[in-house]
Amino acid sequence: MSQYILALDQGTTSSRAIVFDREGGVRSAAQKEFTQRFPRPGWVEHDPLEIWSTQSGVAQEAMTRAGLRAADIAAIGITNQRETVIVWDRRTGEPVYPAIVWQDRRTAGLCEELRARGHENTFREKTGLLLDAYFSGTKVRWILDHVEGARARAERGDLAFGTVDSWLVYHLTGGELHLTDATNASRTLLYNIHTGDWDDELLGLLDVPRALLPEVRSSSEVYGTTAEGLFGARIPIAGIAGDQQAATFGQACLTPGMAKNTYGTGCFMLMNTGPGAVPSANRLLTTVAWQLGGERTYALEGSVFVAGAVVQWLRDGLGIIRESGEVEALATSVPSSGGVVLVPAFVGLGAPYWDPYARGTLVGMTRGTTAAHIARAALESIAYQSADLLAAMGQDSHAPLRELRVDGGASTNNLLMQFQADLLGLPVVRPRVTETTALGAASLAGLAVGYWQDTGDITRRWQVDRVFEPRMEEAERGERLHRWRRAVERSRAWEEGETVGS
């Protein structure tokens, strides 16, 4: 029997496992949601043991569904929610505190304090990241400061810190390995993306002991094998990448200037910038895309806070659709938005604006405006925000983009994808296999064990489902983008202005 690759896709709300064949096709899949905890406003936590139990459970389920044994699996690849933090006892594997999730904002005050002390540029220059509670480093510091005895145990080397990939590898190997890959390390505020190592100055600023940290390895290599008895036979663990980097690899964006956009609750856009870490003048993130052998490839990353979530708002907030899948039919029932523009700045605006005080704005309505016009404006807002991101990336990278590769749930919406192509003036390309995050992890693992020979194999088996070619005239594109930016300006500083005026 031909061997297969097993990808473990550990996400924010569920654990998934997918078995891929040699052509990159899905042989089987399994998924299980786990508990979201919100102990205080702005706090988000997971149970690390539930993450492990659901992930190990779906791994076994996916193999069983495909009629496979452990001996049929050539390697395991791991991809994960990125900045979520777990600290555990090295000997027992017991977490000392719940996982603090990437969405958690409890350390925003610490970030403000570090900025006030003049450290923002140090973090920016060494890590490529903004000094924000989104990233892992301040979360680690919080656990050390608030869990009784944790700091002393960490300094003695009794505790281990890791992002979710490290936690899974530790348990997959029965506690033998404590490691991470360069993509996940690059999201911690503790890792110098230029030297490829943990940075002593950053560790000092965040007061995190080096003894706590995992070893940083490449994204594609055989790290070790699963523990005896876990799956019935030892399986090599051979690939690790954070979810957005894995999706970029799975989309075969393997040469500089190639970019992908994942349309989920928000949007994550990454552009391959090759062996150079490109600093951003537009407050995009500079991050490690992957590391193969000793060579790091870098990317620019930007995020749209509200993408698919705007459709949920139409459903749950306005009640103009009953199911999210109805939005395309409603939007296509009118030929245009009728001049209506929606800026879905419900939680502020991300790159390139970075305005936490912006708020959602609906402009251009008349007595003739209908629910269909608002639905169309909502879909168009996703494409407008992505166009802003791509323009910022083009300015930073000075690399002409030939096409945008797309994935994620909303990429199945043909109206949205066509409008995206029209706004960009570029082809938008949707792949046949949309499980790009898991496919990227599988690809990294498969390369490490010779299942695929080289990155040329990855490129060759990437297949197109549909190409959306731009149809809009340049004059109309410019007019629409101008109208969008006028609407954005009306949304900006709204909350701040209200506070000042009251």
Side-chain angles (χ1 to χ4, degrees), residues 29 32 52 91 105 111 192 301 350 364 427 441 481:
K32 187 170 179 57
W52 165 240
R91 184 178 59 84
R105 303 299 299 173
C111 294
N192 188 316
E301 177 177 331
L481 288 168

Side-chain angles (χ1 to χ4, degrees), residues 40 46 59-60 69 149 193 201 230 287 296 346 378 445 448 466:
R40 296 187 193 178
H46 294 157
Q60 187 64 66
R69 300 166 301 161
I193 62 172
E201 182 181 11
L230 182 60
T287 196
R296 283 184 298 280
F346 304 140
R466 181 168 172 183

